[in-house]
Amino acid sequence: MREALALAREHMLAGEGGPFGAVLVQDGRVIARGWNRVTSAWHPTAHAEVECLRAAGRALRRFSFAGCELYSSCEPCPMCLAACHWARLDRIYFAASRDDAAAAGFDDALLYRELARADGSTLLPRVPLLTTEGAEVFRCWREKTDKITY
Amino acid sequence: MREALALAREHMLAGEGGPFGAVLVQDGRVIARGWNRVTSAWHPTAHAEVECLRAAGRALRRFSFAGCELYSSCEPCPMCLAACHWARLDRIYFAASRDDAAAAGFDDALLYRELARADGSTLLPRVPLLTTEGAEVFRCWREKTDKITY
């Protein structure tokens, strides 16, 4: 966790993005590191946790990290928490909270509230369109015999 | 939306990942395209919407896409919905629903339920650690005079 916090501080001071760092660990060994690069890399999704998971994919050459634990300098935002679910992590440790992030001007706490009522989201309008054709693509997927599930 | 659906089908059949495609549009013009590459790129976060937002960052050379609308072949999962929030999109159109995705073996609906009770998540244990040091990093951020907010 001290390394995640050091990454957060170091790369924030270097002007790469917000004050966030993350480290992925397996069996006590560091697999990958990440830090926020949103404003320097023009990636709204380049949060520390996502960057760390991307680095882990390159290092491990797989897309599922069961058996790994993430140390994040801050409680993951909903995007990053869901990313950790998709990555099949065993556990997340975090230092600062979503409320600490909110107090520093980040939307984490707002997004948690918004996701909790995702069906009635008012911040970002969501509109169904071509719903039958959309479901049809999944029929193709179910029938695909050589698919790799994840 | 027809292009998003075509991307979903084309790249699924090519074996690149799940059946998902997305297109970002500004003033009726396509800015960026994305499709699921989770299993081929070893990126658990390489969902169509995230890939599309990353391509948009490269194309527009900025990290905020206000004024843009996303067309996605499927209702975005919580990770992608939060990513769209961070990208400051105006609107999301989607074809298939989270329930269509769930019926095809994807965790979207499960993740929505999980995020709705994020404080008591049982799928993925989350543990606070070094909380004082974590909050301290945000104090540095608040005091940083040359920061770029996002």
Side-chain angles (χ1 to χ4, degrees), chain A residues 111-136:
Chain A
L111 278 177
Y112 270 105
R113 288 196 300 275
E114 180 74 4
L115 266 287
R117 56 188 188 90
D119 282 319
S121 172
T122 51
L123 279 182
L124 211 176
R126 290 178 298 150
V127 183
L129 199 67
L130 300 183
T131 55
T132 305
E133 289 89 331
E136 170 67 13

Side-chain angles (χ1 to χ4, degrees), chain A residues 80-101:
Chain A
C80 294
L81 178 59
C84 292
H85 277 290
W86 286 116
R88 313 300 176 193
L89 302 187
D90 279 10
R91 188 181 299 262
I92 299 169
Y93 298 95
F94 62 90
S97 72
R98 67 182 74 173
D99 297 319
D100 293 324

Side-chain angles (χ1 to χ4, degrees), chain A:
Chain A
M1 180 57 85
R2 294 201 191 282
E3 181 166 352
L5 289 165
L7 288 170
R9 189 181 296 262
E10 174 189 346
H11 293 280
M12 163 184 67
L13 293 175
E16 292 182 54
F20 303 91
V23 175
L24 193 72
V25 172
Q26 184 174 31
D27 300 329
R29 195 167 61 89
V30 172
I31 300 292
R33 297 166 178 82
W35 52 89
N36 188 292
R37 298 172 62 234
V38 166
T39 56
S40 60
W42 303 309
H43 287 170
T45 67
H47 288 196
E49 299 91 330
V50 168
E51 292 295 288
C52 186
L53 294 175
R54 292 201 159 228
R58 290 192 296 270
L60 299 174
R61 301 173 71 88
R62 59 179 205 253
F63 51 83
S64 177
F65 311 142
C68 295
E69 297 182 326
L70 186 81
Y71 290 80
S72 179
S73 67
C74 182
E75 184 179 2
C77 85
M79 175 180 76
C80 294
L81 178 59
C84 292
H85 277 290
W86 286 116
R88 313 300 176 193
L89 302 187
D90 279 10
R91 188 181 299 262
I92 299 169
Y93 298 95
F94 62 90
S97 72
R98 67 182 74 173
D99 297 319
D100 293 324
F106 295 98
D107 290 346
D108 299 52
L110 172 75
L111 278 177
Y112 270 105
R113 288 196 300 275
E114 180 74 4
L115 266 287
R117 56 188 188 90
D119 282 319
S121 172
T122 51
L123 279 182
L124 211 176
R126 290 178 298 150
V127 183
L129 199 67
L130 300 183
T131 55
T132 305
E133 289 89 331
E136 170 67 13
V137 178
F138 283 112
R139 196 186 58 73
C140 289
W141 172 259
R142 283 196 302 273
E143 293 175 356
K144 190 174 193 289
T145 53
D146 62 345
K147 62 179 174 278
I148 302 171
T149 56
Y150 60 91

